[in-house]
């Protein structure tokens, strides 16, 4: 502290001396020299040879304070700063002269370990040279960048939606964009199994051309990356086609409303990339039902027996009806198998044979030779039948993979209902289905309750087409038929109370759906005797409804007990377990003996499906 005070005092003195010694700038010189008080001599402890003068005058040359001298010399010689701190007060003192002792204690160092001092120096370690080796990058990583950049182009299949393409690209990204199917510049064994499935796609009524596999070149990495992506895209497309994705039924008709179980691209790739046989996994997306397998076997049989007698070619011309003359009539008769004839009149026998041909071909059986019938006559029987079977196989894809161990099926073109219990046929009956103008819709649902003594609430379509025009003609139109008319503002509803004349009969089977159709009884049971039974407004009328109720409600509600409820008021009974019900449209059925049976295309749905498939 004393040393610090000394430095501060000397610094202040050094600043004042130049000011006192410099001449005044005023025009009249003024003597500002003032006598300074005598300063006591300053002596530093331990520094016996240094003394600072105690007096200074304005006339004397300015003296440099020790602190100024030290600071200036420290700036001039930074390397000597340490000397000033350790005790050298004279900055100009040579380094080899004795330094001033400041009385600081000398630090004690630990003694040197003799063992370390005597230890010889470590010898130099020479590392052996590293062997040369080559690093081979796996081809999967080599293609990863190309797969990421080529995804958009390689996945651009016409019938593959953007969502599926994005899912495939995401699957590759999760796999670090490494290939799934390429190994060492060629297809892997799993890839070859997929390719084999594509080549046999026609066996399931699909088109092999839709799954054309790209040709790869082992030396072309761009080709390999795109081929791997394309094979994944083809696998996804095949799986969706096998589940019914080739055509959208709802675009063909508003009465075709099945719920398609189309798999996502993520689901397909996750299953096939981890499978021992991805081809078999892909084939399993086709319907597993016995009816489908029989059709598949019949298709293979037809293709094996394809050679047949040459077709009779019938030239184009105007439409022919009964009584018309045309030079093509002999050719038409020959094509229909009526035998040779020179008669050129299109008679009734020719029209009848043509109508039968039209029925089997799924055409309108009107006996008129139009353009559509002419095209069908120009097609060989086997080729036409193949197309029919493929169209029917396609409709099997609309059904759930699991129909239910116990379920009900209504085949509309056959006018037949069947109930399967525990995998076996338990009951079947004739049914009446919707007219062509009010077709019974095609879909699957679950029956959950039965109503005994039901009321019939007239649906909007019947209200518009029948009830309202009838009321306009006759105000008592509804009352005469036992209907109850209710008016709420501008809304009119009509209900038919339970009773013997009720259009639903004594019982109905409910499976709530968007079409408001169901199975029910009918008071007009004589209609079941007709061969063609398309008479309803869309619902399905069952020939023996109480026998069906006995089957679906279980032993607690026998047929006899249910009949005792007739006339006692409306009663709702829940099924012990909801039962799947499928309203289907099978125009071509192969029975257990392998015989192909055909039924009329009463709504033209078969023709629509076949035409859509042929358009691609």
């Amino acid at each position: 502290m004393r040393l610090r005070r000394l430095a501060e005092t000397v610094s202040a003195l050094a600043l004042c001396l130049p000011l006192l010694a410099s001449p005044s700038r005023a025009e009249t010189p003024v003597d500002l020299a003032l006598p300074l008080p005598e300063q006591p001599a300053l002596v530093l402890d331990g520094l016996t040879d240094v003394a600072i003068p105690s007096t200074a005058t304005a006339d004397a040359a300015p003296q440099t304070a020790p602190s100024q001298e030290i600071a200036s010399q420290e700036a001039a010689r930074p390397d000597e700063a340490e000397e000033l701190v350790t005790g050298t007060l004279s900055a100009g003192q040579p380094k080899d002269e004795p330094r001033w002792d400041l009385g600081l204690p000398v630090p004690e160092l630990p003694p040197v370990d003799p063992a370390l001092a005597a230890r010889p120096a470590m010898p130099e370690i020479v590392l052996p040279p590293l062997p040369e080796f080559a690093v081979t990058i796996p081809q999967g990583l080599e293609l990863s960048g190309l797969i990421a950049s080529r995804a958009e182009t390689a996945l651009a299949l016409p019938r593959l939606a953007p969502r599926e393409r994005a899912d495939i690209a995401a699957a590759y990204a999760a796999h670090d964009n490494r290939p799934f199917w390429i190994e060492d510049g060629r297809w892997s064994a799993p890839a070859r199994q997929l390719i084999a499935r594509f080549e046999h796609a026609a066996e399931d009524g699909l088109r092999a051309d839709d799954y054309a596999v790209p040709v790869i070149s082992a030396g072309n990495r761009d080709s390999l990356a795109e081929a791997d992506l394309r094979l994944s895209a083809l696998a996804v497309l095949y799986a969706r086609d096998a589940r019914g994705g080739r055509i959208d039924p709802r675009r063909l008709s508003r009465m075709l409303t099945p719920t398609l179980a189309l798999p996502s691209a993520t689901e397909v790739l996750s299953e096939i990339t981890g499978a021992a046989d991805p081809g078999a996994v892909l084939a399993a997306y086709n319907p597993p039902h016995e009816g489908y397998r029989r059709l598949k076997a019949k298709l293979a049989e037809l293709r094996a027996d394809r050679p047949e007698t040459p077709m009779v070619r019938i030239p184009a011309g105007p439409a022919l009806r009964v009584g018309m003359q045309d030079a093509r009539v002999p050719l038409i008769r020959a094509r229909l198998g009526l035998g040779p004839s020179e008669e050129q009149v299109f008679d009734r026998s020719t029209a009848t044979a043509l109508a039968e041909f039209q029925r089997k071909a799924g055409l309108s059986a009107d006996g008129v030779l139009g353009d559509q019938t002419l095209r069908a006559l120009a097609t060989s029987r086997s080729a036409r039948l193949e197309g029919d079977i493929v169209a029917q196989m396609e409709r099997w894809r609309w059904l759930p993979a699991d129909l239910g161990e116990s379920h009900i099926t209504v085949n509309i073109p056959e006018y037949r209902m069947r109930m399967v219990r525990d995998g076996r046929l338990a009951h079947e009956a004739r049914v009446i289905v919707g007219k062509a103008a009010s077709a019974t819709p095609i879909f699957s649902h679950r029956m959950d309750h039965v109503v005994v003594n039901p009321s019939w609430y007239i649906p909007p379509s019947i209200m518009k087409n029948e009830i309202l025009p009838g009321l306009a003609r006759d105000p008592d139109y509804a009352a005469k038929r036992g209907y109850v008319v209710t008016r709420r503002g501008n809304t009119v509803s009509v209900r038919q109370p339970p009773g013997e004349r009720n259009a639903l009969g004594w019982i109905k089977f409910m499976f709530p759906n968007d079409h408001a159709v169901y199975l029910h009884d009918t008071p007009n049971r004589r209609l079941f005797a007709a061969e063609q039974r398309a008479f309803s407004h869309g619902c399905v009328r069952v020939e023996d409804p109480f026998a069906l109720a006995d089957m679906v409600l279980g032993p607690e509600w026998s047929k006899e007990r249910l009949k005792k409820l007739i006339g006692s008021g409306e009663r709702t009974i829940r099924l012990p377990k909801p039962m799947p019900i499928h309203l289907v449209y099978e125009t071509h059925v192969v029975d257990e003996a392998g015989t192909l049976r055909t039924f009329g295309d009463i709504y033209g749905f078969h023709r629509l499906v076949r035409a859509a498939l042929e358009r691609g």
Side-chain angles (χ1 to χ4, degrees), residues 19-160:
L19 295 175
L20 295 175
S22 62
S24 174
R25 294 184 179 182
E27 294 182 357
T28 304
V30 178
D31 186 7
L32 296 179
L34 297 177
L36 295 177
E38 183 179 355
Q39 299 295 325
L42 298 178
V43 179
L44 296 177
D45 292 343
L47 304 179
T48 57
D49 293 344
V50 177
I52 298 176
S54 59
T55 60
T57 63
D59 296 333
Q63 300 294 322
T64 302
S67 61
Q68 285 181 306
E69 181 181 356
I70 293 173
S72 63
Q73 292 188 9
E74 181 180 359
R77 295 193 303 162
D79 56 327
E80 296 184 0
E82 182 182 358
E83 297 178 4
L84 299 176
V85 174
T86 56
T88 303
L89 292 181
S90 178
Q93 182 177 349
K95 291 184 179 182
D96 55 350
E97 293 185 4
R99 299 172 181 256
W100 300 110
D101 185 10
L102 298 180
L104 299 177
V106 178
E108 296 184 2
L109 298 177
V112 178
D113 188 352
L116 293 177
R119 185 174 180 179
M122 294 292 293
E124 183 180 358
I125 300 176
V126 180
L127 297 176
L130 296 176
E132 296 183 358
F133 60 93
V135 177
T136 303
I137 299 176
Q139 193 174 63
L141 296 178
E142 185 180 351
L143 296 179
S144 61
L146 292 174
I147 285 177
S149 62
R150 301 273 177 176
E152 183 176 357
T153 301
L155 300 178
L157 292 179
R159 290 192 295 106
L160 205 59

Side-chain angles (χ1 to χ4, degrees), residues 335-336 352-363 372-374 376-379 384:
R335 173 66 179 84
L336 297 174
T352 301
L354 185 63
E356 178 63 19
F357 169 84
Q358 291 170 326
R359 187 186 69 80
K360 292 180 178 179
L363 304 175
Q372 194 172 24
T373 302
L374 193 63
L377 288 170
T379 306
R384 185 175 66 255

Side-chain angles (χ1 to χ4, degrees), residues 202 205 295 298-307 379-393 588 596 606 610 613-614:
L295 286 167
K298 180 59 68 174
L299 181 64
E301 179 185 323
L302 286 172
R303 289 172 174 169
D305 299 334
R306 186 176 298 242
T379 306
S380 67
R381 180 181 180 277
S382 62
R384 185 175 66 255
L385 195 53
E386 284 182 24
D388 290 336
I389 292 176
V390 168
Q392 182 59 67
M393 292 171 72
H588 294 74
L596 179 64
H606 173 76
R610 177 170 174 168
L613 293 176
E614 291 174 352

Side-chain angles (χ1 to χ4, degrees), residues 253-522:
S253 171
R254 63 184 181 86
M255 293 291 104
L256 300 177
T257 59
T259 302
L260 301 181
L262 300 181
S264 67
T266 303
E267 175 187 342
V268 175
L269 290 180
S270 64
E271 290 186 357
I272 64 176
T273 54
D277 186 351
V281 173
L282 209 57
Y285 281 102
N286 289 292
H289 314 302
E290 180 62 26
Y292 176 87
R293 288 196 290 264
R294 292 175 183 173
L295 286 167
K296 180 178 178 179
K298 180 59 68 174
L299 181 64
E301 179 185 323
L302 286 172
R303 289 172 174 169
D305 299 334
R306 186 176 298 242
E308 59 183 21
T309 57
M311 295 295 301
V312 176
R313 184 178 181 277
I314 303 172
L320 294 181
R321 292 178 173 82
V322 175
M324 297 177 65
Q325 286 190 342
D326 194 289
R328 297 173 295 167
V329 171
L331 296 176
I332 297 171
R333 292 179 61 86
R335 173 66 179 84
L336 297 174
L338 298 178
S341 173
E342 298 299 327
E343 182 64 48
Q344 295 188 0
V345 177
F346 192 79
D347 58 14
R348 189 166 298 279
S349 64
T350 305
T352 301
L354 185 63
E356 178 63 19
F357 169 84
Q358 291 170 326
R359 187 186 69 80
K360 292 180 178 179
L363 304 175
S364 177
D366 55 8
V368 177
L369 180 66
D371 291 340
Q372 194 172 24
T373 302
L374 193 63
R375 287 193 297 270
L377 288 170
T379 306
S380 67
R381 180 181 180 277
S382 62
R384 185 175 66 255
L385 195 53
E386 284 182 24
D388 290 336
I389 292 176
V390 168
Q392 182 59 67
M393 292 171 72
E394 187 69 20
R395 292 196 291 278
W396 272 100
R397 306 182 198 280
W398 299 353
L399 288 167
D402 183 7
L403 299 179
E405 190 67 16
S406 297
H407 64 270
I408 295 172
T409 300
V410 178
N411 185 17
I412 294 168
E414 191 183 3
Y415 308 107
R416 200 88 181 165
M417 181 217 69
R418 293 177 176 86
M419 177 181 172
V420 173
R421 173 183 285 176
D422 299 329
R424 295 185 177 185
L425 180 63
H427 177 72
E428 62 179 315
R430 291 179 289 185
V431 297
I432 294 171
V433 299
K435 297 174 288 190
S438 53
T440 299
I442 309 302
F443 66 97
S444 296
H445 216 282
R446 299 177 75 84
M447 182 184 296
D448 56 12
H449 69 278
V450 171
V451 179
V452 183
N453 302 313
S455 295
W456 182 41
Y457 293 87
I458 311 299
S461 60
I462 301 177
M463 282 284 295
K464 177 181 178 181
N465 298 327
E466 297 181 19
I467 304 299
L468 294 179
L471 289 173
R473 293 190 307 267
D474 180 5
D476 295 329
Y477 176 87
K480 291 177 181 178
R481 288 161 176 78
Y483 298 159
V484 177
V485 179
T486 304
R487 290 181 174 84
R488 292 185 178 89
N490 295 328
T491 303
V492 177
S493 63
V494 180
R495 177 179 66 90
Q496 187 181 32
E500 187 176 355
R501 298 174 58 188
N502 187 283
L504 304 183
W506 295 113
I507 189 170
K508 67 177 180 179
F509 304 83
M510 300 299 294
F511 41 100
N513 57 85
D514 295 338
H515 297 282
V517 299
Y518 36 85
L519 273 60
H520 63 82
D521 186 16
T522 177

